Amino acid sequence: MGFLWWFAVVALAEMATFFWVSSEIGLGAAIFIALSTAFVGAYLVRRSGVAVWRRLRARVKEQRIPGRELVAGVAVLVAGAFLISPGFITDILGFLLLVPWAQDRLYEMVTARFSARFAGLRAAGDSLRGAVEGDWGTEVTDIVDIEEVD
């Protein structure tokens, strides 16, 4: 239900913004701006997507985790959806998601959220690992050697 609610709110806000802009500058100019942002946005999304893809491939080739590149790729994908859809609010959000500074902030937000979420899991994993490895306060001193009998 939450997604539908947000979808309706954004659609109403987009319509209200379009009517306001068209009343200020004229209907023809508003339509021209909406269409031109779609074309410019499509070009920028393609260009940004290719750049992110190249960075991602280079990170994988270096055998490093491409976390920042994956977040940038999702940002470019969402930016493309925002820029293709008609409206001024989504266009502003779409162009913002193409800016490297905004992608860096998004990466920081995602990593902060996941590191906080997995901190408890990491602590539980460490205690479990200690129990499995025999960290029970005693040492294992007897080693039993089993030989095969022919």
Side-chain angles (χ1 to χ4, degrees), residues 16-143:
T17 305
F18 188 81
F19 288 137
W20 176 75
V21 169
S22 63
S23 70
E24 293 292 321
I25 65 172
L27 181 62
I31 291 173
F32 175 76
I33 291 172
L35 289 176
S36 63
T37 58
F39 287 117
V40 170
Y43 170 76
L44 291 175
V45 164
R46 177 179 160 85
R47 189 171 160 216
S48 297
V50 168
V52 168
W53 179 251
R54 286 182 182 150
R55 288 195 324 256
L56 185 123
R57 288 182 56 197
R59 289 287 274 201
V60 169
K61 190 174 183 179
E62 296 169 356
Q63 296 183 345
R64 300 183 69 189
I65 298 173
R68 189 174 299 274
E69 289 77 14
L70 289 174
V71 171
V74 170
V76 169
L77 184 69
V78 172
F82 281 166
L83 289 167
I84 290 173
S85 68
F88 294 111
I89 297 171
T90 53
D91 286 346
I92 291 170
L93 291 174
F95 282 123
L96 185 63
L97 285 174
L98 292 177
V99 177
W101 174 86
Q103 292 174 358
D104 290 340
R105 300 293 87 69
L106 186 63
Y107 175 74
E108 291 169 3
M109 289 171 40
V110 168
T111 55
R113 177 161 176 116
F114 280 111
S115 64
R117 186 168 268 194
F118 289 116
L121 239 143
R122 190 177 311 124
D126 289 344
S127 64
L128 180 63
R129 187 178 307 111
V132 169
E133 292 173 353
D135 186 18
W136 301 12
T138 61
E139 288 186 32
V140 178
T141 56
D142 295 331
I143 297 176

